[in-house]
Amino acid sequence: MVLVVAVMLLLLALLPPVSMLQDAGALQGSPVPDPSTPALLRLSDTLLAHYRRGVRPVRDWRTTTTVAIDVMVYAILSVDEKNQVLTTYIWYRQHWTDEFLQWDPAHFDNITQISLPAENIWVPDILINEFVDVGKSPDVPYVYIRHHGEVQNLKPIQVVTACSLDIYNFPFDVQNCSLTFTSWLHNIHDINLSLWRQPELVKFDRSVFMNQGEWELLYVLSHFQEFSVKSSDSYAEMKFYVVIRRRPLFYTINLLLPSIFLMVMDIVGFYLPPNSGERVSFKITLLLGYSVFLIIVSDTLPATAVGTPLIGIYFVVCMALLVISLTETIFIVRLVHKQDLQPHVPSWVKHLLLERATALLCIWDRKKFSQSRTQSSDISRHMENNDSTAKLNHYSSEDPREREVAGGTRPTPAFATPAEGSLLIHSILHEITTIRQFLEKRDEFRDVAREWLQVGYVLDVLLFRAYLVAVLAYTVTLGTLWSVWQYA
């Protein structure tokens, strides 16, 4: 009896204690690890010995696996307005609890975390709903596992997603694109989603953002919601709204300033004399220059089938204003040229333009000029009448022989009778009357031309000021809108 007891005690002394196996976290039926093996290898072999990656890692199937996710925007790679596609580069982080990957650090050389291949463990099927193409993302094959079962999966992702881009405010536009993370298969009872960090920390986190490109990151909003499709099971989804704003300096210098300069030159062109043909050629040159400018910048403007940016409408309106300016110039030049072939200015035109419009436009110098020229024409006409009358009296009282000596008219023969002298005087009077009528007709044509020139001048000032008011109102409106959009 004593011998049997001694043999049993010897066997118990040779066998390893059961508590050591339990504390090591080994699964039932697993081989005992060799103590001479490095701790990392022993821990890896122990965890993956009987692990099944195809089963959700919970001991009770009623337990929901909660996946906490986080997004950090690293760069905005491209914004394709035509195809409505946004390409971003993000740092994606997620963690969950795996109940089958737990151990006691005291039995594994105080190891609290270990990296294992992601392909050997269970990974949730979290996808982005807006995916439209597979980006060139680097492959990160490992995940971190902590001793209490927390699995951390950290990886950078190049995300190519669909986004509804509104380019109406270009180049002062702000875009809001969403990244929706959800489990493609598991409902909310199997996999639930939560936010890794507080929403305030996620919103204004620009610690890793490359801030030297065309787009500026304003903030990232996060929102959790449940959704269901046709009364089926509910699914959990986490939305991240990436709000970005375009930097407009490049487009302001290369698009807006040249257009503004050409419009200013068009306004300055109104100060050329209206009776000068140089204004028409100047306006045509500006119109051709603006057409070439639009051809050059057409590739810079974003193109979509949905709408047109406001800056495109601005260019079209500027082109229309240049055409209107050229049309007005042609009309004024046609009005002030070839005045001799035109009738007198109608009285209602004189009343509206030379009286009312001059008072409205404060063109007092033109009115005085008109009065002075009219008075000078009356004085010259009066002096011509007096000169012609004096000459007629002189010729009527003068002896024919003295007129012959003076050489004022054709020489008369010495034997001319008084009747022939009377006929000669009547002939001279007829010629003088004809000359007088010609001069009066010429003065009348000059007065008509002067009146039409004054009408053209007043009408040119009136149309110029109306054009200037339209351009200023249009410019102020667009400038106000763009300023509001820029600083909103």
Side-chain angles (χ1 to χ4, degrees):
M1 187 66 180
V2 176
L3 181 61
V4 174
V5 173
V7 172
M8 293 179 61
L9 290 176
L10 180 62
L11 292 176
L12 291 176
L14 294 176
L15 290 176
V18 179
S19 59
M20 181 181 295
L21 297 177
Q22 294 177 352
D23 293 339
L27 300 177
Q28 294 180 357
S30 61
V32 178
D34 188 2
S36 62
T37 306
L40 285 176
L41 293 180
R42 289 192 290 111
L43 178 59
S44 175
D45 293 340
T46 302
L47 295 177
L48 301 179
H50 297 279
Y51 188 87
R52 295 189 178 183
R53 59 186 300 267
V55 180
R56 191 165 60 90
V58 291
R59 300 187 183 278
D60 185 1
W61 65 272
R62 301 177 185 85
T63 304
T64 301
T65 301
T66 301
V67 180
I69 62 177
D70 186 25
V71 168
M72 301 173 68
V73 180
Y74 182 75
I76 306 297
L77 300 182
S78 67
V79 178
D80 189 352
E81 295 89 355
K82 183 177 181 180
N83 297 318
Q84 298 286 292
V85 173
L86 172 68
T87 304
T88 57
Y89 197 81
I90 65 173
W91 288 3
Y92 175 69
R93 305 189 301 171
Q94 63 181 2
H95 74 84
W96 65 94
T97 299
D98 193 321
E99 298 181 3
F100 298 147
L101 298 177
Q102 299 176 354
W103 71 92
D104 186 0
H107 296 125
F108 293 94
D109 199 12
N110 293 324
I111 297 176
T112 58
Q113 62 182 10
I114 185 175
S115 60
L116 294 178
E119 60 183 10
N120 293 337
I121 66 172
W122 180 87
V123 178
D125 56 336
I126 305 298
L127 301 178
I128 301 178
N129 289 343
E130 293 85 359
F131 257 134
V132 294
D133 194 7
V134 178
K136 300 178 180 179
S137 304
D139 185 21
V140 181
Y142 295 98
V143 295
Y144 254 130
I145 304 174
R146 297 186 180 275
H147 66 281
H148 52 269
E150 178 184 311
V151 182
Q152 294 184 0
N153 187 9
L154 316 177
K155 55 184 177 180
I157 304 176
Q158 180 178 336
V159 183
V160 183
T161 56
C163 179
S164 179
L165 301 174
D166 184 10
I167 62 171
Y168 181 75
N169 302 338
F170 175 88
F172 305 96
D173 51 334
V174 176
Q175 306 297 340
N176 186 355
C177 298
S178 62
L179 303 177
T180 305
F181 294 86
T182 184
S183 174
W184 193 255
L185 177 64
H186 298 84
N187 56 34
I188 195 172
H189 302 290
D190 293 335
I191 293 181
N192 194 9
L193 300 179
S194 65
L195 199 60
W196 189 324
R197 296 181 295 169
Q198 295 295 325
E200 293 78 11
L201 298 178
V202 177
K203 181 176 181 180
F204 298 105
D205 186 8
R206 304 185 187 91
S207 58
V208 299
F209 182 70
M210 300 293 292
N211 200 26
Q212 301 299 324
E214 178 184 355
W215 293 90
E216 175 188 4
L217 178 64
L218 296 181
Y219 46 82
V220 179
L221 300 177
S222 56
H223 175 67
F224 172 80
Q225 67 178 10
E226 298 182 18
F227 76 98
S228 59
V229 179
K230 295 182 179 179
S231 301
S232 61
D233 295 334
S234 297
Y235 294 85
E237 67 178 15
M238 183 69 69
K239 279 183 174 291
F240 292 91
Y241 296 95
V242 180
V243 182
I244 57 178
R245 178 173 59 192
R246 193 192 307 266
R247 290 188 172 94
L249 181 60
F250 171 80
Y251 300 98
T252 301
I253 295 176
N254 293 278
L255 298 183
L256 293 180
L257 288 184
S259 177
I260 293 174
F261 290 157
L262 290 176
M263 295 302 297
V264 170
M265 292 303 300
D266 180 65
I267 294 175
V268 173
F270 277 95
Y271 287 94
L272 292 173
N275 56 347
S276 173
E278 296 298 328
R279 184 193 283 190
V280 177
S281 60
F282 180 75
K283 299 277 186 177
I284 292 176
T285 303
L286 281 180
L287 188 59
L288 292 177
Y290 202 85
S291 301
V292 174
F293 167 73
L294 290 184
I295 294 175
I296 294 175
V297 304
S298 60
D299 295 334
T300 308
L301 296 178
T304 62
V306 179
T308 303
L310 183 60
I311 192 173
I313 302 175
Y314 164 76
F315 289 146
V316 172
V317 173
C318 288
M319 176 70 76
L321 290 174
L322 289 176
V323 172
I324 293 174
S325 174
L326 178 60
T327 305
E328 184 267 344
T329 301
I330 294 175
F331 173 72
I332 296 298
V333 171
R334 175 64 182 84
L335 194 65
V336 300
H337 277 71
K338 296 183 179 181
Q339 299 94 342
D340 296 343
L341 302 179
Q342 297 182 6
H344 285 276
V345 179
S347 58
W348 62 272
V349 176
K350 291 182 180 180
H351 178 71
L352 290 178
L353 293 180
L354 300 183
E355 295 180 7
R356 295 292 183 86
T358 52
L360 180 63
L361 301 175
C362 301
I363 314 178
W364 305 110
D365 55 344
R366 178 56 59 179
K367 188 174 182 180
K368 293 179 181 178
F369 173 77
S370 175
Q371 293 176 355
S372 62
R373 293 303 295 262
T374 305
Q375 293 174 0
S376 63
S377 64
D378 294 338
I379 293 173
S380 62
R381 189 178 304 170
H382 180 68
M383 292 177 63
E384 290 177 357
N385 292 337
N386 293 337
D387 292 342
S388 61
T389 304
K391 289 180 180 180
L392 289 176
N393 293 334
H394 176 72
Y395 274 109
S396 63
S397 61
E398 191 178 28
D399 186 74
R401 290 188 179 89
E402 294 177 356
R403 291 199 304 271
E404 180 181 354
V405 174
T409 58
R410 295 177 303 179
T412 57
F415 51 85
T417 62
E420 292 177 350
S422 177
L423 292 175
L424 182 59
I425 291 174
H426 283 290
S427 176
I428 294 173
L429 288 177
H430 178 70
E431 292 179 359
I432 292 175
T433 303
T434 303
I435 294 173
R436 178 182 177 181
Q437 292 177 353
F438 170 76
L439 294 177
E440 290 179 350
K441 194 67 174 177
R442 186 186 63 180
D443 291 341
E444 181 181 358
F445 286 154
R446 289 180 177 176
D447 292 340
V448 172
R450 190 178 300 111
E451 289 179 351
W452 282 110
L453 183 62
Q454 294 172 4
V455 169
Y457 173 79
V458 175
L459 191 60
D460 180 64
V461 174
L462 179 62
L463 293 178
F464 165 67
R465 295 189 181 180
Y467 179 80
L468 184 61
V469 169
V471 172
L472 290 179
Y474 182 64
T475 304
V476 169
T477 302
L478 289 183
T480 303
L481 288 177
W482 282 332
S483 299
V484 171
W485 294 335
Q486 174 67 17
Y487 299 103

